[in-house]
Amino acid sequence: MKSVDEHWQALVTTALLGTDRREPPEAPQLIADLVADTARTTASERMLAQVAATTAVRRAGVIPGPPLDELAMPDGDDRQPCVPAAVDRWHHITASWPVLEDEWILTLVTAGWRIAPELLPAMLMRHRSDPVRRTRVMVGAGSTGRWLVGHVPDLAARHPNATVTPEALAELPELPIAPELAQLVNRPGAESGGVLAQSLEDGTLGHPHRAMLINLVARVRADALLDIADILGAVDSISPGYGLATVLGDLATTRHRMLDELST
Amino acid sequence: MPQPDRNTARNDRVQRMHGGLTELDRWLDDRIRTGLADPSLARYATWDDLAARLVDAQAGSLANRIRRLAGLVGASPGWHDDVLAELGLLHLLSQAGRHLGSLPGPLADAVATAVGWQVKQADVLAGVPDTDHWVVAGRSDVREDRIEVRRHWLRGTSSGQWALCLSFAAYQQSLDTSLRVGTSLHADLHRYPGPALRSLVGARYALPVDPVTPPSQTIAEGCNEVGSMLVAEPWLDRLPVTIRARLARSGEVWALADATGSLPVLNAGTRQFDAGLAMLLAVSEGREVDLTVEWTPHGVVPLSIHLPDRTIDVGPRANTSFVSAA
């Protein structure tokens, strides 16, 4: 007796040619019972009824395909994946503060974390072309990163043979900061924050200096960040520098939290 | 369910829909007579004209199915199978839609919804709610024509019942971001008429709690669950199920597998990049994990990975250049 699947194949063959050229196949009992009536007089009507019934039966009888071999798993990695808050932070900084991304990955590696696996595809895809960042990601990714690239060729590096020096790998890229601002990099937060707040309020610093100010906050010493954020948060809301102070305060807060989440 | 005798406007509407369904069946009959090799199937007008007439006939859901069906022609080596199956389901719906009065109430409601009978949100919200702790088990975004459709699949902790909350966004509009995958929401859900999955969230009794994992099952058990839902409504083309499975290769495509069998992943050639699938691969490292997936007739779509400490949303995501808040 014909199975439902065999009957379906016969229906597909008939449907390709059309019932003007070929009569519908004889239905197996199961389908014939479902479509048995005298109302359908033409071949196409009988065919449509069979197609509808057979489709409904096949869908309701959804069954799994055969079991499949397991994938070979990646080698183990003793490092813990970074915490979910750090994962969220990476998404936030790549969207809003990309100037912090190098420090995110360097801090993660230095602190002995590995990149949380759910971040790997996005990070590998984002850093296919830059050899230094790519190498940092692969260090942070460990064996899972290499294993993943093996399974998903689109995640492979664009320049796999590029040479990266250990110095380039370990150092944050230098950011352009004007000399008069650069001296604030190593100052305590109360001092550097005070200078910034005063200069923003009196208009000495403003939007033309935005890029340099962002670079400065991205490189000031870590223990200065909270003070800077607090002081910038207190900038007079009617002063011309209020908007920029808020932006820089957010950057300082974001960087402080980022470093906190990635601390050991 | 539409009640044709209630008033003239409704009568007119039912009549128009009836006319549209009759025309649909005539069109289906033509396709079956002339065959799927007929060159007219490759012409846009063949489908679009019918879809437009179905919209006029208040059968918008069927019009959407027709447009999706047009996209299947020539799309894969087995497109004849896919198109024929969809023609069969359209026939089933057109027949059922023309005999709503003779169907049992819940089935008639389900058919009317599948055909495109519009129900006001206020009417749905006026219905008796399902109150439960609803786990937001998965999310998927799919572009349908010029609209982005977001599906949130919720599962009742007490009832074990699934529900679907839809949101829609045209270009530069926002999708619903109030439901976060992996959280549990103590709330009223109001279902559309019939044994509908589609629901609206009503009163919320507490802030969402996380993380929560819906109960998982084997692939074979998951197939049984999907089959049971399809027995009731064979025309459904997306259904949720939570399974415990691992990624595996089936020739040149990815599949989900366990000791009881396997299910192909939709549109997942091993040579194509899919962000959600890559994330699943990275997180699972080839091991079995609890997953909520969306079953479709052509394969499953992984939506979320339920880990002991968190749920990771890996469902297809709308392009942020098209809609915001994606």
Side-chain angles (χ1 to χ4, degrees):
Chain A
M1 195 174 68
K2 213 164 39 167
S3 72
V4 172
D5 277 343
E6 286 166 339
H7 179 57
W8 177 253
Q9 288 313 314
L11 287 171
V12 172
T13 304
T14 304
L16 270 170
L17 298 170
T19 53
D20 282 353
R21 295 192 192 89
R22 179 181 284 205
E23 278 289 305
E26 192 177 335
Q29 200 58 48
L30 169 69
I31 303 298
D33 288 346
L34 285 173
V35 298
D37 62 40
T38 55
R40 299 180 179 92
T41 54
T42 68
S44 54
E45 285 172 339
R46 293 197 305 279
M47 173 83 177
L48 262 177
Q50 282 198 42
V51 169
T54 309
T55 301
V57 167
R58 291 178 83 226
R59 286 214 173 161
V62 55
I63 52 168
L68 298 169
D69 291 340
E70 291 182 15
L71 296 175
M73 291 175 195
D75 295 335
D77 191 328
D78 293 337
R79 297 173 299 172
Q80 288 294 310
C82 61
V83 296
V87 173
D88 293 341
R89 189 72 55 198
W90 183 84
H91 285 295
H92 172 62
I93 64 173
T94 51
S96 304
W97 295 116
V99 69
L100 298 180
E101 193 185 356
D102 288 309
E103 191 175 20
W104 187 95
I105 180 72
L106 270 180
T107 309
L108 173 135
V109 170
T110 309
W113 298 104
R114 68 183 163 95
I115 298 170
E118 61 264 40
L119 270 188
L120 284 180
M123 291 189 75
L124 291 166
M125 185 58 94
R126 185 175 167 89
H127 298 302
R128 278 172 299 167
S129 304
D130 181 326
V132 174
R133 289 179 172 143
R134 174 70 182 199
T135 307
R136 285 184 191 139
V137 171
M138 289 307 286
V139 171
S143 54
T144 303
R146 294 187 292 277
W147 178 85
L148 185 62
V149 171
H151 282 293
V152 187
D154 281 355
L155 296 177
R158 290 220 172 104
H159 311 292
N161 298 321
T163 311
V164 179
T165 65
E167 294 77 25
L169 207 58
E171 285 175 11
L172 285 173
E174 202 167 306
L175 299 173
I177 304 173
E180 59 272 30
L181 292 175
Q183 60 187 344
L184 299 176
V185 167
N186 292 313
R187 300 287 184 197
E191 184 183 339
S192 53
V195 171
L196 284 176
Q198 179 63 43
S199 306
L200 288 167
E201 279 185 332
D202 66 21
T204 314
L205 292 173
H207 280 282
H209 311 101
R210 189 178 192 275
M212 294 260 188
L213 290 168
I214 286 173
N215 289 345
L216 171 66
V217 177
R219 288 292 179 268
V220 293
R221 44 196 265 195
D223 63 1
L225 289 166
L226 268 187
D227 284 340
I228 290 175
D230 285 347
I231 294 167
L232 291 176
V235 165
D236 190 343
S237 61
I238 58 166
S239 77
Y242 175 71
L244 190 50
T246 307
V247 168
L248 295 173
D250 177 61
L251 173 58
T253 305
T254 300
R255 188 171 162 226
H256 169 75
R257 289 179 181 161
M258 173 187 89
L259 295 173
D260 190 45
E261 288 150 4
L262 294 172
S263 63
T264 44
Chain B
M1 166 192 170
Q3 295 170 20
D5 295 331
R6 195 176 265 184
N7 57 46
T8 309
R10 181 162 281 206
N11 270 344
D12 287 349
R13 210 169 144 197
V14 170
Q15 207 164 5
R16 256 190 294 169
M17 185 179 276
H18 200 278
L21 295 176
T22 305
E23 183 172 354
L24 170 62
D25 230 17
R26 200 178 306 128
W27 182 91
L28 291 169
D29 198 72
D30 286 346
R31 301 283 75 77
I32 293 296
R33 276 196 311 99
T34 56
L36 301 181
D38 184 346
S40 71
L41 256 63
R43 284 199 290 272
Y44 190 60
T46 303
W47 308 89
D48 204 46
D49 292 350
L50 175 69
R53 289 197 295 276
L54 286 170
V55 169
D56 290 344
Q58 312 276 312
S61 298
L62 291 184
N64 288 340
R65 286 188 92 113
I66 291 289
R67 291 198 182 99
R68 287 200 296 272
L69 180 53
L72 292 178
V73 175
S76 68
W79 70 268
H80 302 101
D81 274 54
D82 301 338
V83 169
L84 184 63
E86 187 60 23
L87 294 180
L89 293 175
L90 284 166
H91 175 67
L92 194 63
L93 282 169
S94 73
Q95 290 286 317
R98 286 153 63 192
H99 299 91
L100 282 180
S102 59
L103 297 177
L107 180 58
D109 286 336
V111 170
T113 302
V115 166
W117 188 264
Q118 297 289 317
V119 183
K120 288 179 183 163
Q121 284 202 354
D123 291 342
V124 176
L125 289 169
V128 178
D130 277 356
T131 307
D132 207 335
H133 291 271
W134 295 97
V135 179
V136 186
R139 173 209 54 79
S140 73
D141 298 342
V142 177
R143 179 87 60 85
E144 292 188 359
D145 202 7
R146 280 162 290 182
I147 301 288
E148 194 74 40
V149 181
R150 171 163 288 180
R151 290 176 174 79
H152 276 112
W153 293 105
L154 279 61
R155 189 178 173 112
T157 305
S158 308
S159 67
Q161 296 295 308
W162 284 102
L164 167 66
C165 292
L166 291 175
S167 73
F168 305 91
Y171 179 61
Q172 291 195 331
Q173 291 181 336
S174 300
L175 288 162
D176 179 13
T177 55
S178 68
L179 298 170
R180 197 161 62 84
V181 172
T183 61
S184 172
L185 184 70
H186 185 204
D188 287 345
L189 242 60
H190 299 265
R191 291 185 185 270
Y192 276 70
L197 286 165
R198 191 174 170 195
S199 309
L200 296 173
V201 178
R204 301 180 188 217
Y205 298 109
L207 291 173
V209 184
D210 61 16
V212 181
T213 301
S216 64
Q217 54 199 326
T218 65
I219 285 179
E221 290 165 343
C223 286
N224 279 342
E225 186 182 346
V226 168
S228 302
M229 290 191 266
L230 287 169
V231 165
E233 296 184 69
W235 46 83
L236 294 177
D237 51 10
R238 287 174 186 272
L239 287 168
V241 64
T242 302
I243 54 175
R244 184 164 181 79
R246 57 183 164 75
L247 270 173
R249 281 170 181 264
S250 175
E252 289 294 302
V253 297
W254 288 105
L256 294 175
D258 68 5
T260 68
S262 61
L263 288 169
V265 176
L266 183 67
N267 297 333
T270 53
R271 294 178 189 282
Q272 299 161 302
F273 178 71
D274 177 294
L277 199 69
M279 218 188 295
L280 171 56
L281 195 56
V283 171
S284 67
E285 297 182 330
R287 298 177 179 86
E288 285 192 358
V289 286
D290 291 339
L291 297 165
T292 293
V293 302
E294 205 169 46
W295 173 90
T296 80
H298 311 298
V300 295
V301 182
L303 301 185
S304 50
I305 310 165
H306 305 288
L307 300 175
D309 61 338
R310 65 195 191 282
T311 294
I312 301 172
D313 182 349
V314 296
R317 193 167 282 281
N319 189 332
T320 48
S321 65
F322 185 75
V323 291
S324 59

Short mmCIF file of all heavy atoms in Angstrom, two decimals, chain A residues 25-69:
data_model
loop_
_atom_site.label_atom_id
_atom_site.label_comp_id
_atom_site.label_asym_id
_atom_site.label_seq_id
_atom_site.Cartn_x
_atom_site.Cartn_y
_atom_site.Cartn_z
N PRO A 25 -3.48 11.22 -8.79
CA PRO A 25 -3.22 9.83 -8.40
C PRO A 25 -4.31 9.30 -7.48
O PRO A 25 -5.04 10.08 -6.86
CB PRO A 25 -1.88 9.93 -7.66
CG PRO A 25 -1.82 11.33 -7.14
CD PRO A 25 -2.56 12.17 -8.13
N GLU A 26 -4.36 8.00 -7.41
CA GLU A 26 -5.33 7.40 -6.49
C GLU A 26 -4.81 7.55 -5.06
O GLU A 26 -3.64 7.25 -4.79
CB GLU A 26 -5.51 5.92 -6.84
CG GLU A 26 -6.69 5.30 -6.13
CD GLU A 26 -6.89 3.84 -6.56
OE1 GLU A 26 -6.45 3.50 -7.68
OE2 GLU A 26 -7.45 3.09 -5.76
N ALA A 27 -5.67 8.02 -4.18
CA ALA A 27 -5.21 8.32 -2.81
C ALA A 27 -5.18 7.05 -1.97
O ALA A 27 -6.02 6.16 -2.14
CB ALA A 27 -6.15 9.32 -2.16
N PRO A 28 -4.22 6.95 -1.04
CA PRO A 28 -4.27 5.85 -0.07
C PRO A 28 -5.51 6.02 0.81
O PRO A 28 -6.09 7.11 0.89
CB PRO A 28 -2.98 6.03 0.74
CG PRO A 28 -2.52 7.41 0.50
CD PRO A 28 -3.09 7.85 -0.82
N GLN A 29 -5.89 4.94 1.49
CA GLN A 29 -7.17 4.93 2.21
C GLN A 29 -7.31 6.08 3.19
O GLN A 29 -8.35 6.72 3.29
CB GLN A 29 -7.34 3.59 2.93
CG GLN A 29 -8.78 3.27 3.30
CD GLN A 29 -9.69 3.26 2.06
OE1 GLN A 29 -9.37 2.65 1.04
NE2 GLN A 29 -10.82 3.95 2.14
N LEU A 30 -6.19 6.35 3.91
CA LEU A 30 -6.22 7.41 4.93
C LEU A 30 -6.66 8.74 4.32
O LEU A 30 -7.51 9.45 4.87
CB LEU A 30 -4.83 7.55 5.55
CG LEU A 30 -4.58 8.75 6.45
CD1 LEU A 30 -5.37 8.63 7.74
CD2 LEU A 30 -3.08 8.89 6.77
N ILE A 31 -6.10 9.08 3.17
CA ILE A 31 -6.42 10.35 2.52
C ILE A 31 -7.79 10.25 1.85
O ILE A 31 -8.61 11.18 1.92
CB ILE A 31 -5.34 10.71 1.48
CG1 ILE A 31 -3.96 10.76 2.14
CG2 ILE A 31 -5.67 12.04 0.79
CD1 ILE A 31 -3.81 11.81 3.22
N ALA A 32 -8.05 9.12 1.22
CA ALA A 32 -9.33 8.94 0.52
C ALA A 32 -10.50 9.12 1.48
O ALA A 32 -11.52 9.74 1.13
CB ALA A 32 -9.38 7.56 -0.12
N ASP A 33 -10.33 8.62 2.71
CA ASP A 33 -11.41 8.77 3.71
C ASP A 33 -11.66 10.24 4.02
O ASP A 33 -12.80 10.66 4.26
CB ASP A 33 -11.05 8.04 5.00
CG ASP A 33 -11.12 6.54 4.83
OD1 ASP A 33 -11.69 6.09 3.81
OD2 ASP A 33 -10.59 5.81 5.69
N LEU A 34 -10.58 11.03 4.04
CA LEU A 34 -10.71 12.44 4.40
C LEU A 34 -11.41 13.25 3.31
O LEU A 34 -12.10 14.22 3.60
CB LEU A 34 -9.32 13.05 4.66
CG LEU A 34 -8.64 12.68 5.98
CD1 LEU A 34 -7.22 13.22 6.00
CD2 LEU A 34 -9.43 13.24 7.15
N VAL A 35 -11.20 12.87 2.06
CA VAL A 35 -11.72 13.71 0.97
C VAL A 35 -12.93 13.07 0.27
O VAL A 35 -13.37 13.57 -0.76
CB VAL A 35 -10.63 14.02 -0.07
CG1 VAL A 35 -9.51 14.80 0.57
CG2 VAL A 35 -10.11 12.76 -0.72
N ALA A 36 -13.44 11.97 0.85
CA ALA A 36 -14.54 11.26 0.19
C ALA A 36 -15.82 12.08 0.20
O ALA A 36 -16.36 12.37 1.26
CB ALA A 36 -14.78 9.93 0.90
N ASP A 37 -16.22 12.56 -0.90
CA ASP A 37 -17.55 13.15 -1.07
C ASP A 37 -17.86 13.17 -2.56
O ASP A 37 -17.03 12.83 -3.40
CB ASP A 37 -17.65 14.55 -0.45
CG ASP A 37 -16.71 15.54 -1.09
OD1 ASP A 37 -16.58 15.50 -2.33
OD2 ASP A 37 -16.13 16.37 -0.37
N THR A 38 -19.04 13.56 -2.87
CA THR A 38 -19.46 13.52 -4.28
C THR A 38 -19.53 14.92 -4.89
O THR A 38 -19.91 15.07 -6.04
CB THR A 38 -20.85 12.88 -4.40
OG1 THR A 38 -21.73 13.61 -3.53
CG2 THR A 38 -20.83 11.42 -3.99
N ALA A 39 -19.11 15.91 -4.09
CA ALA A 39 -19.27 17.29 -4.57
C ALA A 39 -18.19 17.68 -5.58
O ALA A 39 -18.39 18.60 -6.36
CB ALA A 39 -19.24 18.25 -3.39
N ARG A 40 -17.06 17.00 -5.52
CA ARG A 40 -15.95 17.41 -6.39
C ARG A 40 -16.02 16.64 -7.70
O ARG A 40 -15.76 15.44 -7.73
CB ARG A 40 -14.63 17.18 -5.68
CG ARG A 40 -14.52 17.98 -4.39
CD ARG A 40 -13.20 17.74 -3.69
NE ARG A 40 -13.13 18.53 -2.48
CZ ARG A 40 -13.51 18.11 -1.28
NH1 ARG A 40 -14.00 16.89 -1.13
NH2 ARG A 40 -13.41 18.90 -0.24
N THR A 41 -16.34 17.34 -8.74
CA THR A 41 -16.58 16.65 -10.01
C THR A 41 -15.39 16.70 -10.94
O THR A 41 -15.19 15.79 -11.74
CB THR A 41 -17.79 17.28 -10.71
OG1 THR A 41 -17.55 18.69 -10.83
CG2 THR A 41 -19.07 17.04 -9.94
N THR A 42 -14.58 17.75 -10.86
CA THR A 42 -13.48 17.86 -11.82
C THR A 42 -12.20 17.29 -11.23
O THR A 42 -12.05 17.18 -10.01
CB THR A 42 -13.23 19.33 -12.20
OG1 THR A 42 -12.72 20.02 -11.05
CG2 THR A 42 -14.51 20.01 -12.68
N ALA A 43 -11.27 17.00 -12.14
CA ALA A 43 -9.98 16.45 -11.70
C ALA A 43 -9.25 17.44 -10.81
O ALA A 43 -8.63 17.06 -9.81
CB ALA A 43 -9.13 16.10 -12.92
N SER A 44 -9.30 18.72 -11.17
CA SER A 44 -8.56 19.71 -10.38
C SER A 44 -9.16 19.86 -8.98
O SER A 44 -8.43 20.03 -8.01
CB SER A 44 -8.55 21.06 -11.10
OG SER A 44 -9.85 21.46 -11.42
N GLU A 45 -10.48 19.78 -8.87
CA GLU A 45 -11.11 19.86 -7.54
C GLU A 45 -10.71 18.66 -6.69
O GLU A 45 -10.38 18.81 -5.49
CB GLU A 45 -12.64 19.91 -7.67
CG GLU A 45 -13.15 21.25 -8.15
CD GLU A 45 -14.64 21.21 -8.46
OE1 GLU A 45 -15.18 20.10 -8.68
OE2 GLU A 45 -15.26 22.28 -8.48
N ARG A 46 -10.70 17.48 -7.28
CA ARG A 46 -10.30 16.29 -6.52
C ARG A 46 -8.83 16.37 -6.12
O ARG A 46 -8.44 16.02 -5.02
CB ARG A 46 -10.54 15.02 -7.36
CG ARG A 46 -12.01 14.71 -7.63
CD ARG A 46 -12.21 13.27 -8.09
NE ARG A 46 -11.43 12.90 -9.25
CZ ARG A 46 -11.75 13.18 -10.52
NH1 ARG A 46 -12.87 13.84 -10.78
NH2 ARG A 46 -10.97 12.80 -11.50
N MET A 47 -8.04 16.90 -7.04
CA MET A 47 -6.60 17.04 -6.77
C MET A 47 -6.37 18.03 -5.61
O MET A 47 -5.60 17.75 -4.69
CB MET A 47 -5.93 17.55 -8.04
CG MET A 47 -4.48 17.91 -7.88
SD MET A 47 -3.39 16.50 -8.00
CE MET A 47 -1.80 17.33 -7.86
N LEU A 48 -7.04 19.17 -5.65
CA LEU A 48 -6.86 20.17 -4.59
C LEU A 48 -7.25 19.60 -3.23
O LEU A 48 -6.57 19.84 -2.23
CB LEU A 48 -7.72 21.40 -4.89
CG LEU A 48 -7.02 22.58 -5.54
CD1 LEU A 48 -8.02 23.69 -5.85
CD2 LEU A 48 -5.88 23.12 -4.67
N ALA A 49 -8.35 18.86 -3.21
CA ALA A 49 -8.79 18.27 -1.95
C ALA A 49 -7.74 17.30 -1.42
O ALA A 49 -7.43 17.26 -0.23
CB ALA A 49 -10.13 17.56 -2.14
N GLN A 50 -7.17 16.51 -2.32
CA GLN A 50 -6.13 15.56 -1.89
C GLN A 50 -4.89 16.29 -1.40
O GLN A 50 -4.27 15.90 -0.40
CB GLN A 50 -5.74 14.67 -3.08
CG GLN A 50 -6.71 13.56 -3.38
CD GLN A 50 -6.04 12.48 -4.25
OE1 GLN A 50 -4.89 12.13 -4.02
NE2 GLN A 50 -6.77 11.99 -5.23
N VAL A 51 -4.51 17.35 -2.12
CA VAL A 51 -3.32 18.11 -1.72
C VAL A 51 -3.52 18.70 -0.32
O VAL A 51 -2.63 18.63 0.54
CB VAL A 51 -3.02 19.23 -2.75
CG1 VAL A 51 -1.96 20.18 -2.22
CG2 VAL A 51 -2.56 18.62 -4.07
N ALA A 52 -4.70 19.27 -0.09
CA ALA A 52 -4.98 19.89 1.21
C ALA A 52 -4.94 18.84 2.32
O ALA A 52 -4.29 19.05 3.36
CB ALA A 52 -6.35 20.58 1.18
N ALA A 53 -5.61 17.73 2.09
CA ALA A 53 -5.66 16.70 3.14
C ALA A 53 -4.28 16.10 3.39
O ALA A 53 -3.87 15.89 4.54
CB ALA A 53 -6.64 15.61 2.73
N THR A 54 -3.55 15.84 2.33
CA THR A 54 -2.22 15.22 2.50
C THR A 54 -1.27 16.18 3.20
O THR A 54 -0.47 15.77 4.06
CB THR A 54 -1.65 14.80 1.12
OG1 THR A 54 -2.65 14.04 0.43
CG2 THR A 54 -0.39 13.98 1.27
N THR A 55 -1.36 17.46 2.86
CA THR A 55 -0.50 18.43 3.53
C THR A 55 -0.81 18.48 5.03
O THR A 55 0.11 18.49 5.87
CB THR A 55 -0.69 19.83 2.91
OG1 THR A 55 -0.39 19.77 1.53
CG2 THR A 55 0.20 20.87 3.59
N ALA A 56 -2.10 18.51 5.36
CA ALA A 56 -2.49 18.57 6.78
C ALA A 56 -1.99 17.32 7.51
O ALA A 56 -1.45 17.43 8.63
CB ALA A 56 -4.01 18.69 6.89
N VAL A 57 -2.13 16.18 6.91
CA VAL A 57 -1.70 14.93 7.55
C VAL A 57 -0.18 14.91 7.73
O VAL A 57 0.33 14.56 8.80
CB VAL A 57 -2.17 13.71 6.72
CG1 VAL A 57 -1.47 12.43 7.18
CG2 VAL A 57 -3.67 13.55 6.81
N ARG A 58 0.55 15.33 6.68
CA ARG A 58 2.02 15.31 6.78
C ARG A 58 2.51 16.29 7.84
O ARG A 58 3.44 16.02 8.57
CB ARG A 58 2.64 15.65 5.43
CG ARG A 58 2.42 14.56 4.39
CD ARG A 58 3.01 14.98 3.07
NE ARG A 58 4.43 14.71 3.01
CZ ARG A 58 5.34 15.56 2.56
NH1 ARG A 58 4.98 16.76 2.16
NH2 ARG A 58 6.61 15.23 2.52
N ARG A 59 1.90 17.46 7.90
CA ARG A 59 2.35 18.46 8.88
C ARG A 59 2.08 17.99 10.31
O ARG A 59 2.93 18.12 11.18
CB ARG A 59 1.64 19.79 8.65
CG ARG A 59 2.18 20.48 7.44
CD ARG A 59 2.18 21.96 7.59
NE ARG A 59 2.87 22.53 6.45
CZ ARG A 59 2.77 23.77 6.06
NH1 ARG A 59 1.98 24.59 6.73
NH2 ARG A 59 3.44 24.20 5.03
N ALA A 60 0.87 17.46 10.51
CA ALA A 60 0.53 17.02 11.87
C ALA A 60 1.41 15.85 12.29
O ALA A 60 1.66 15.65 13.48
CB ALA A 60 -0.94 16.65 11.95
N GLY A 61 1.89 15.10 11.32
CA GLY A 61 2.74 13.94 11.63
C GLY A 61 4.21 14.29 11.57
O GLY A 61 5.02 13.46 11.17
N VAL A 62 4.55 15.50 11.98
CA VAL A 62 5.95 15.91 11.92
C VAL A 62 6.81 14.97 12.78
O VAL A 62 6.47 14.69 13.94
CB VAL A 62 6.11 17.39 12.37
CG1 VAL A 62 5.52 17.63 13.74
CG2 VAL A 62 7.56 17.82 12.37
N ILE A 63 7.84 14.44 12.18
CA ILE A 63 8.71 13.51 12.91
C ILE A 63 10.16 13.96 12.72
O ILE A 63 10.50 14.60 11.72
CB ILE A 63 8.56 12.05 12.43
CG1 ILE A 63 8.70 11.96 10.91
CG2 ILE A 63 7.24 11.45 12.87
CD1 ILE A 63 8.84 10.54 10.40
N PRO A 64 11.00 13.64 13.69
CA PRO A 64 12.41 14.06 13.57
C PRO A 64 13.12 13.30 12.46
O PRO A 64 12.74 12.18 12.12
CB PRO A 64 13.01 13.70 14.93
CG PRO A 64 11.89 13.23 15.80
CD PRO A 64 10.75 12.89 14.92
N GLY A 65 14.17 13.92 11.93
CA GLY A 65 15.06 13.21 11.02
C GLY A 65 15.95 12.29 11.82
O GLY A 65 15.83 12.18 13.04
N PRO A 66 16.88 11.62 11.14
CA PRO A 66 17.75 10.66 11.84
C PRO A 66 18.69 11.37 12.82
O PRO A 66 19.03 12.53 12.61
CB PRO A 66 18.54 10.01 10.70
CG PRO A 66 18.49 11.00 9.59
CD PRO A 66 17.21 11.73 9.73
N PRO A 67 19.11 10.68 13.89
CA PRO A 67 20.12 11.27 14.78
C PRO A 67 21.40 11.58 14.01
O PRO A 67 21.70 10.93 13.00
CB PRO A 67 20.36 10.16 15.81
CG PRO A 67 19.15 9.30 15.76
CD PRO A 67 18.69 9.35 14.32
N LEU A 68 22.12 12.58 14.46
CA LEU A 68 23.33 13.01 13.76
C LEU A 68 24.54 12.94 14.68
O LEU A 68 24.39 13.03 15.91
CB LEU A 68 23.16 14.45 13.26
CG LEU A 68 22.02 14.66 12.25
CD1 LEU A 68 21.77 16.16 12.03
CD2 LEU A 68 22.35 13.99 10.92
N ASP A 69 25.71 12.81 14.08
CA ASP A 69 26.94 12.73 14.88
C ASP A 69 27.17 14.01 15.67
O ASP A 69 26.82 15.11 15.21
CB ASP A 69 28.15 12.51 13.95
CG ASP A 69 28.11 11.13 13.32
OD1 ASP A 69 27.41 10.25 13.88
OD2 ASP A 69 28.75 10.93 12.27
#
